[in-house]
Amino acid sequence: MKTTREAPKWNEDAAALVLQFVNTRADGAGRVEVFGTASGFADWAIEHGLLDAAIVVTDSDAVAARELRHALVTVLLAHSGDSDIGDAQVAAAERYLLQAGVRYPLTTVVTAETAQLLAGSTGVPGALGAVLAAVTETAQRGDWMRIKACCNPPCHFGFIDRTRNRAARYCSPGCGSQVSMRALRQRRKQVGS
């Protein structure tokens, strides 16, 4: 009897954590900055099971979370092919992420049933390390390039590109329409000048 091996399943947990992290930023559509204060970042990390409520979180920790998020959003915009993101910005984000990997180390945990990456620290470094572990797990499954950020400048909302050709650039048809309308207005303005 021939058995077929199932394709690896999309790890919704790892991808969801990455998206929940990057989608904490404010935008023009009414989303508020979640990591604007130490308590905002602490509440988010506690809610997602990344931080114990007894841990003291400082404003510097919230800044570190925003910096990590900014670097990840830059990479996700590169995944989307955003023409506003240049090679220098991507290189700077990659350098930051390399430093973050040292600052928030990961540990391999091997059991008889599985092997996984976990944050190698506790507290805030552990919470940010857990985000990096989720990124790594998603990449190792071959799905990292499917996580993108919307190319609509006021949005930049993180999303999973579920299209067959992996060509999605916007988180929703509404954002795609906004970009098209701005481009149309710009062309009309240039013709009228």
Side-chain angles (χ1 to χ4, degrees), residues 8-11 15 79 137-147 160 166:
K9 293 184 178 168
W10 177 262
N11 185 334
H79 289 179
E137 187 175 334
T138 303
Q140 288 180 335
R141 290 181 178 270
D143 294 322
W144 177 231
M145 295 297 291
R146 284 191 178 272
I147 299 181
I160 297 172
R166 298 182 182 198

Side-chain angles (χ1 to χ4, degrees), residues 17-163:
L17 179 59
V18 173
L19 290 174
Q20 290 163 356
F21 183 78
V22 300
N23 289 335
T24 56
R25 54 182 288 285
D27 71 357
R31 282 190 311 230
V32 297
E33 174 60 61
V34 176
F35 298 164
T37 63
S39 63
F41 171 62
D43 290 345
W44 181 88
I46 291 166
E47 177 184 328
H48 289 84
L50 303 177
L51 198 60
D52 185 272
I55 300 295
V56 175
V57 177
T58 66
D59 287 335
S60 296
D61 296 327
V63 169
R66 289 193 306 267
E67 289 173 346
L68 178 60
R69 181 188 63 200
H70 176 72
L72 289 171
V73 168
T74 300
V75 169
L76 299 183
L77 287 167
H79 289 179
S80 297
D82 190 326
S83 60
D84 292 337
I85 298 297
D87 292 341
Q89 289 171 291
V90 173
E94 289 173 340
R95 278 192 305 278
Y96 179 85
L97 292 168
L98 180 62
Q99 293 169 357
V102 172
R103 204 173 304 130
Y104 314 122
L106 303 178
T107 301
T108 303
V109 177
V110 179
T111 66
E113 293 83 31
T114 187
Q116 64 185 121
L117 281 176
L118 298 175
S121 302
T122 59
V124 172
L128 298 177
V131 172
L132 292 177
V135 167
T136 303
E137 187 175 334
T138 303
Q140 288 180 335
R141 290 181 178 270
D143 294 322
W144 177 231
M145 295 297 291
R146 284 191 178 272
I147 299 181
K148 299 180 176 185
C150 183
C151 290
N152 186 6
C155 181
H156 291 173
F157 192 74
F159 67 98
I160 297 172
D161 180 353
R162 297 189 188 275
T163 62

Side-chain angles (χ1 to χ4, degrees), residues 1-5:
M1 177 188 220
K2 185 177 181 181
T3 61
T4 59
R5 184 174 168 221

